Amino acid sequence: MVLEGDNCVFDGMIYRNGETFQPSCKYQCTCRDGQIGCLPRCNLGLLLPGPDCPFPRKIEVPGECCEKWVCDPRDEVLLGGFAMAAYRQEATLGIDVSDSSANCIEQTTEWSACSKSCGMGFSTRVTNRNQQCEMVKQTRLCMMRPCENEEPSDKKGKKCVRTKKSMKAVHFEYKNCTSVQTYKPRYCGLCNDGRCCTPHNTKTIQVEFRCPQGKFLKKPMMLINTCVCHGNCPQSNNAFFQPLDPMSSEAKI
């Protein structure tokens, strides 16, 4: 059966509506009425630096199309008492050709989980949504809940409070800077049955901060729309909800 719809043009080749093709071993694409949609065939996950792997990097595996993450055994670089790894830009996503007419296949990963279970943290993603079509890391501030002693729901039959909204307008604080505007953010609540609540639907806004000596800076920040409660907790629930030391927090509210 012939499908009606516009053809697609990609890198000088014409594809019919409904036709599936692989411009490279890393992607599988489909023409849909003049628009090309592609899915990665390789895992685009980002391995963030950690105590067990302070210098993650991707390597090419002979005979395989997809790169794999490995931990660099080089000595750690101590910066301010913490092991830091410089972010290495990944190879351009898309067709590996030098011809400037080659189309860029746009790809963006999901935002990672917030680095802290309470107080101000950060999450990251990688994207090639730029003129150079190069993979870059983006970071945004995030806050799942304030670091305060909060009890799970005590309502009869209610085991979890998925999403809570701040009753008063608050200023966000980042390092020594304070947000110019006030906000009434939503937070993820707590459970009394061993489950944990994490963001399910979020958005990113630009928050302007006022800093000492009259300086201003803008930072992207996650705002929570809804949360979901589940048993797939990153740690034990006690550790997950334990307030962090405010002296070690990157920011507070």
Side-chain angles (χ1 to χ4, degrees):
M1 180 177 178
V2 178
L3 299 177
E4 295 183 359
D6 293 335
N7 294 335
C8 303
V9 179
F10 186 90
D11 196 23
M13 298 291 292
I14 298 178
Y15 298 95
R16 292 175 296 179
N17 180 42
E19 186 175 357
T20 298
F21 60 98
Q22 292 183 6
S24 76
C25 63
K26 296 182 179 180
Y27 295 93
Q28 179 166 306
C29 303
T30 303
C31 174
R32 296 292 185 189
D33 195 19
Q35 302 293 323
I36 297 176
C38 299
L39 291 175
R41 304 180 69 225
C42 299
N43 182 13
L44 295 177
L46 174 66
L47 181 62
L48 297 176
D52 298 330
C53 187
F55 295 98
R57 62 187 179 92
K58 271 188 175 180
I59 62 170
E60 294 183 357
V61 180
E64 295 187 17
C65 172
C66 301
E67 297 175 324
K68 291 187 177 181
W69 284 101
V70 297
C71 293
D72 200 324
R74 73 179 69 183
D75 294 336
E76 295 180 0
V77 179
L78 294 180
L79 195 64
F82 296 93
M84 302 292 290
Y87 177 75
R88 300 171 179 81
Q89 285 189 343
E90 300 298 329
T92 299
L93 280 180
I95 312 305
D96 187 17
V97 295
S98 57
D99 186 0
S100 59
S101 65
N103 302 60
C104 174
I105 302 175
E106 184 177 300
Q107 187 63 47
T108 301
T109 65
E110 297 292 334
W111 286 103
S112 67
C114 194
S115 62
K116 295 185 178 180
S117 60
C118 73
M120 192 72 80
F122 66 90
S123 64
T124 60
R125 71 177 180 182
V126 289
T127 181
N128 68 337
R129 192 178 299 171
N130 52 65
Q131 291 184 347
Q132 294 75 30
C133 192
E134 292 181 349
M135 278 292 270
V136 295
K137 182 174 73 170
Q138 295 179 336
T139 303
R140 68 176 180 178
L141 302 175
C142 54
M143 180 179 289
M144 291 175 55
R145 60 183 63 83
C147 285
E148 60 187 28
N149 292 327
E150 187 177 5
E151 294 297 328
S153 174
D154 56 359
K155 295 182 180 179
K156 186 176 180 180
K158 190 84 170 177
K159 295 182 178 180
C160 290
V161 176
R162 287 185 297 178
T163 310
K164 297 184 64 175
K165 187 170 184 178
S166 176
M167 300 300 295
K168 61 180 181 179
V170 297
H171 287 277
F172 293 122
E173 293 186 11
Y174 171 71
K175 296 185 177 179
N176 293 324
C177 306
T178 304
S179 64
V180 176
Q181 297 183 7
T182 58
Y183 300 86
K184 284 188 175 181
R186 291 183 177 91
Y187 302 121
C188 291
L190 303 178
C191 294
N192 58 15
D193 61 355
R195 290 182 292 168
C196 52
C197 301
T198 55
H200 174 65
N201 182 274
T202 67
K203 64 180 179 179
T204 304
I205 65 169
Q206 291 290 330
V207 176
E208 185 175 17
F209 291 89
R210 180 184 290 109
C211 305
Q213 284 128 21
K215 295 182 179 180
F216 290 85
L217 63 86
K218 285 187 177 181
K219 288 284 186 181
M221 182 169 178
M222 175 191 80
L223 286 187
I224 296 173
N225 291 325
T226 60
C227 299
V228 62
C229 302
H230 52 85
N232 186 24
C233 302
Q235 307 171 27
S236 68
N237 226 13
N238 290 335
F240 188 75
F241 294 121
Q242 183 177 357
L244 301 178
D245 181 0
M247 297 302 294
S248 65
S249 297
E250 185 173 282
K252 59 183 181 180
I253 187 170

